[in-house]
Structure formats: structure tokens, C-alpha cells
């Protein structure tokens, strides 16, 4: 069930989000040149470092429509919310949205947290049960996906949520619209995707 909560004046925020505890992380230079294939296999690099829609890629991989299980919609005010520092590019007050990306059978393939300017979120997420790319495609929104960080790490909540053992690969990026930052997104993918993409290879420091 989706809940929308308002932070108190002392900024005690509801419902934490599931960030990775990284054992390795890379920045824009790593993203531009790509990673050694001994660190991350080519098929996984296409998913993580490519600028296409991840939910569209998951749909093509599984031959199933990708459904969104919204687990959190929280107003966080001007808090940085322990998010990547790029959250400062998103005007406040902000709203945080957390979702699982699932197949119709309930298999969780990905997890995503996004941060939006609260006053504009309804403009872009008219149907909040749709994946972001589907919502934005419906209103013909032109976007640029600006990938800024990649991670390999662990998270106990994600191990439980995916029912898979880490480490997990994730990334964060900004969506730009008409030259302005629209939303910051942090995504983590399930190792279940090795069924379609092959082994991830090692997460080497």
C-alpha cells in the first residue's frame, strides 16, 4: 500500500530507502570508458551503463510486462535524505518514491528510489503505478538520462527483498528535461537477471 507522509519539523523522515553499502564504486570516467569485463560482464554493462530505459530492457529480456510495486511516497522537504549529492540539483521541497520492478508473477528484478520536486510530481507521474519511462512516454516528455555513479555492494533489505545473495550492482542518474534536472534516480538490479544476462563477473576493488 502506498503511503504519503509529511516529515516533522525536526526532519525525522519516514521509511528509509535501501542504499547499497558499496565495496566498489565508480564515477563518470568509469561510466564513459566502461569497466573491465573481468569486473562486469558486457551484457550487464549494457544494462547498467547504457542510457536506455531499464524497465524497457527488462521487458525485452523477460518477454513480460514490467509492473511497478510502489512501496513508499514520502514528502521529505529539503532534506538530503542520505541520497547522492546530486539531489541538490532537484528543486525542493522534494518527494521520495520507492518501487520494486517486478514481472506479473511477482519476481522482483529491480529496486528504484527517485526524488522529485513535490509540486511537479503529479505532472509527470499521472499514473503512479506505471514505470517512470511509461509515464513519461505517454505525455511525450523528451529526456536525457545522465548516469553519474555506479556501485557494487551489499544491502540486507535488498537481499531479503530480492531473495538473492549480494553483492548487487546499482547506479544513480539524473533525468534532464528542457535543460533542467527533473528527477534523481537510484537503481539496483537483482542477480536473478543472470538467467537472461549471464554471470555478472567479479566485483573487484
Amino acid at each position: 500500500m502506498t503511503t504519503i507522509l509529511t516529515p516533522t519539523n525536526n526532519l525525522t523522515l519516514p521509511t528509509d530507502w535501501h542504499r547499497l553499502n558499496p565495496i566498489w564504486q565508480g564515477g563518470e570516467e568509469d561510466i564513459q570508458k566502461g569497466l573491465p569485463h573481468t569486473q562486469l560482464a558486457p551484457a550487464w554493462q549494457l544494462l547498467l551503463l547504457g542510457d536506455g530505459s531499464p524497465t524497457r530492457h527488462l521487458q525485452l529480456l523477460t518477454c513480460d510486462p514490467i509492473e511497478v510495486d510502489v512501496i513508499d511516497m514520502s514528502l521529505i522537504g529539503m532534506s538530503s535524505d542520505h541520497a547522492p549529492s546530486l539531489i541538490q540539483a532537484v528543486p525542493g521541497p522534494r518527494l521520495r518514491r520507492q518501487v520494486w520492478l517486478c514481472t506479473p508473477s511477482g519476481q522482483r528484478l529491480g529496486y528504484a528510489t527517485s526524488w522529485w520536486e513535490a509540486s511537479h510530481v503529479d505532472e509527470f507521474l499521472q499514473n503512479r503505478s506505471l514505470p517512470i519511462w511509461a509515464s513519461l512516454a505517454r505525455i511525450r516528455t523528451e529526456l536525457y538520462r545522465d548516469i553519474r555513479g555506479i556501485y557494487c555492494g551489499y544491502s540486507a533489505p535488498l537481499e531479503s527483498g530480492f531473495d538473492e545473495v549480494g553483492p548487487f550492482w546499482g547506479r544513480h542518474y539524473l533525468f534532464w528535461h528542457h535543460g533542467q534536472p527533473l528527477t534523481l534516480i537510484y537503481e539496483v538490479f537483482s542477480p536473478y537477471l543472470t538467467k537472461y544476462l549471464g554471470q555478472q563477473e567479479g566485483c573487484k576493488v
Side-chain angles (χ1 to χ4, degrees):
M1 178 180 296
T2 300
T3 56
I4 301 179
L5 303 173
T6 303
T8 60
N9 290 335
N10 63 6
L11 293 182
T12 299
L13 300 177
T15 314
D16 198 10
W17 63 280
H18 306 322
R19 70 189 65 77
L20 292 175
N21 180 19
I23 57 178
W24 179 88
Q25 62 186 59
E28 292 180 76
E29 182 178 349
D30 301 287
I31 292 161
Q32 289 299 317
K33 71 181 181 182
L35 303 182
H37 292 172
T38 54
Q39 183 177 10
L40 183 62
W44 280 88
Q45 296 204 44
L46 288 174
L47 177 65
L48 281 155
L49 304 183
D51 59 5
S53 162
T55 44
R56 175 63 173 157
H57 291 161
L58 295 177
Q59 178 180 320
L60 294 172
L61 287 171
T62 63
C63 294
D64 277 322
I66 300 302
E67 300 179 350
V68 169
D69 179 12
V70 182
I71 57 175
D72 172 43
M73 295 279 285
S74 295
L75 294 170
I76 63 166
M78 299 301 295
S79 170
S80 63
D81 202 27
H82 303 290
S85 60
L86 278 175
I87 193 174
Q88 301 302 329
V90 179
R94 305 182 188 98
L95 179 143
R96 180 186 62 211
R97 177 181 189 252
Q98 296 186 72
V99 304
W100 295 108
L101 303 175
C102 311
T103 65
S105 67
Q107 177 65 53
R108 292 171 172 171
L109 304 177
Y111 162 82
T113 301
S114 56
W115 293 269
W116 302 76
E117 184 178 1
S119 62
H120 288 169
V121 68
D122 288 333
E123 177 183 349
F124 296 102
L125 297 181
Q126 296 175 2
N127 183 341
R128 296 186 182 186
S129 66
L130 289 177
I132 288 175
W133 74 270
S135 293
L136 298 177
R138 284 191 170 193
I139 58 176
R140 301 293 190 267
T141 302
E142 295 183 4
L143 296 169
Y144 170 60
R145 192 186 312 266
D146 185 8
I147 304 169
R148 295 290 192 92
I150 183 170
Y151 310 89
C152 183
Y154 291 91
S155 164
L158 292 180
E159 285 200 357
S160 176
F162 286 136
D163 195 23
E164 296 277 354
V165 176
F168 306 105
W169 282 92
R171 64 180 184 172
H172 76 264
Y173 55 88
L174 279 173
F175 261 151
W176 292 81
H177 175 55
H178 291 165
Q180 299 296 321
L182 174 64
T183 180
L184 173 65
I185 301 179
Y186 185 106
E187 293 171 337
V188 181
F189 295 97
S190 170
Y192 181 84
L193 291 170
T194 57
K195 175 180 178 181
Y196 306 100
L197 295 171
Q199 294 300 312
Q200 298 167 311
E201 303 304 337
C203 181
K204 298 179 176 63
V205 179

